[in-house]
Amino acid sequence: LVYAPRTRDFRRLAWFDLAGRELGVAAPAEQYRNPSLSRDGRYLAVEWHDATSHIRVFDLAHGGWTQVNASFREQAPQFGPGHELATTLTPNGRLDLFRVSPFGGTPRPIVVSESEKQATDWSPDGQTVLYNLQADDGTYDVWAAAADG
């Protein structure tokens, strides 16, 4: 009999220079993945992975976490212009693409469909959100949608 206790998958986020030298810790080690840095470098959004997935934003200037939305499972935050996030939420039991403020407010749909999707990036002008869409055969394709839905 072999027993391996389940461990928490802690990750540490750190700043590095172009030579690969660590400059400092960006956020304390925790159970998160899919980090996204705001365009002005002030905030760091992560998918906080515990019993459920949800998005938290770390204020890099002042410290402290803010949870984006406690109502739905959330995944893969991507910062766009003006500190808005494109993220995947599950209000209907499937992974749909939404636009949300990390500081509160109602999520606005970008893409709602039966297929699973995950935000991957924004266009430089903030008008388009790129996302992966799962095809019927289980593979993923890259799609683009207007950020305003």
Side-chain angles (χ1 to χ4, degrees):
L1 174 68
V2 175
Y3 171 75
R6 186 175 186 153
T7 60
R8 293 179 64 176
D9 187 15
F10 282 93
R11 296 201 167 106
R12 192 171 65 91
L13 298 173
W15 296 107
F16 289 85
D17 65 16
L18 294 176
R21 290 183 299 267
E22 185 173 329
L23 301 175
V25 175
E30 259 305 336
Q31 250 185 306
Y32 39 59
R33 58 183 174 196
N34 295 324
S36 177
L37 188 63
S38 65
R39 293 180 181 197
D40 63 2
R42 184 172 173 192
Y43 299 104
L44 177 71
V46 296
E47 178 183 331
W48 199 279
H49 191 68
D50 48 20
T52 62
S53 292
H54 52 275
I55 305 302
R56 289 189 184 178
V57 176
F58 188 71
D59 185 330
L60 293 165
H62 302 102
W65 293 98
T66 300
Q67 187 166 328
V68 174
N69 188 330
S71 301
F72 313 113
R73 183 174 146 219
E74 304 165 304
Q75 294 181 337
Q78 294 295 322
F79 265 113
H83 299 134
E84 278 200 298
L85 292 167
T87 188
T88 305
L89 302 176
T90 59
N92 303 311
R94 63 177 180 259
L95 299 173
D96 287 323
L97 197 60
F98 285 82
R99 186 174 180 165
V100 64
S101 167
F103 311 111
T106 303
R108 294 172 290 162
I110 299 173
V111 178
V112 176
S113 69
E114 293 299 319
S115 299
E116 290 195 7
K117 59 209 72 61
Q118 186 175 47
T120 58
D121 206 353
W122 289 71
S123 62
D125 65 4
Q127 300 300 308
T128 305
V129 174
L130 299 176
Y131 63 100
N132 291 333
L133 181 72
Q134 187 175 24
D136 292 337
D137 64 1
T139 60
Y140 286 86
D141 295 315
V142 178
W143 287 67
D148 62 6

